[in-house]
Amino acid sequence: MAGLPHYFCEIVEECIENNMSKDETVRHLCDKYLTPHDYTNIVWNHLERTNPDLFISYYARIRERNPQPEICQRILDTLDQIQSNTEQIVKLLMDMDLDHTMKKQRSSRSSKRQRLGEDEKRGGDGETEKLQKKEER
């Protein structure tokens, strides 16, 4: 490549072989060698055109290293569905528990009313009888 030293191409190739992305390569060369971003981009693009085998293997390694986006999206969708199902189950269980508690309270009140009604039929005060029984003990 005219205007850029050959060793610079080798440095960029080394970054590619080390699975660095284009952005990572640009930052690395800027930090380590104070190379302007434009130069690194020019060399990267030149290598893509002139050395396709390098990039075929590079992209194959990248695909192996990073899961496919559609797989990630399916995993996220599944996790969202699990969360939604869990929230629905918790709500149903809470509703069932609330219904059960309310039925027990109604039953308890009904039983108490029934006992008071029976006491009144007998002509006595149920509460008074309870107190008397406690005093006798």
Side-chain angles (χ1 to χ4, degrees):
M1 253 186 84
L4 292 173
H6 180 69
Y7 72 87
F8 189 68
C9 288
E10 290 175 3
I11 294 170
V12 174
E13 280 183 35
E14 186 178 316
C15 291
I16 292 167
E17 288 169 359
N18 288 326
N19 300 324
M20 294 174 73
S21 70
K22 190 174 189 178
D23 289 337
E24 290 170 331
T25 302
V26 167
R27 284 192 305 261
H28 172 70
L29 296 179
C30 182
D31 294 344
K32 189 168 182 177
Y33 302 104
L34 302 175
T35 306
H37 295 161
D38 291 341
Y39 290 174
T40 305
N41 284 322
I42 289 168
V43 171
W44 183 286
N45 294 337
H46 171 76
L47 289 171
E48 266 186 317
R49 284 190 308 274
T50 60
N51 196 349
D53 291 340
L54 175 68
F55 282 89
I56 289 170
S57 61
Y58 167 75
Y59 289 121
R61 288 190 310 271
I62 296 300
R63 274 194 302 276
E64 287 174 10
R65 189 172 69 167
N66 299 325
Q68 299 297 322
E70 56 272 1
I71 291 171
C72 292
Q73 188 58 52
R74 283 193 301 197
I75 291 170
L76 289 173
D77 291 345
T78 301
L79 289 173
D80 285 344
Q81 187 62 45
I82 289 169
Q83 181 179 4
S84 175
N85 290 345
T86 303
E87 289 169 354
Q88 290 174 359
I89 290 169
V90 167
K91 184 182 181 318
L92 287 172
L93 289 172
M94 290 176 69
D95 289 349
M96 286 173 52
D97 187 48
L98 181 62
D99 286 346
H100 179 72
T101 302
M102 290 174 65
K103 285 179 183 175
K104 279 177 66 176
Q105 288 174 347
R106 274 188 247 131
S107 174
S108 174
R109 279 189 241 126
S110 175
S111 296
K112 189 173 183 179
R113 275 191 232 115
Q114 194 174 26
R115 281 193 309 267
L116 288 174
E118 289 171 1
D119 285 345
E120 287 176 7
K121 284 181 189 175
R122 285 184 278 163
D125 180 14
E127 294 298 320
T128 306
E129 288 179 19
K130 286 181 188 176
L131 288 173
Q132 286 174 351
K133 288 180 183 177
K134 283 184 183 178
E135 290 173 1
E136 290 174 2
R137 290 184 198 166

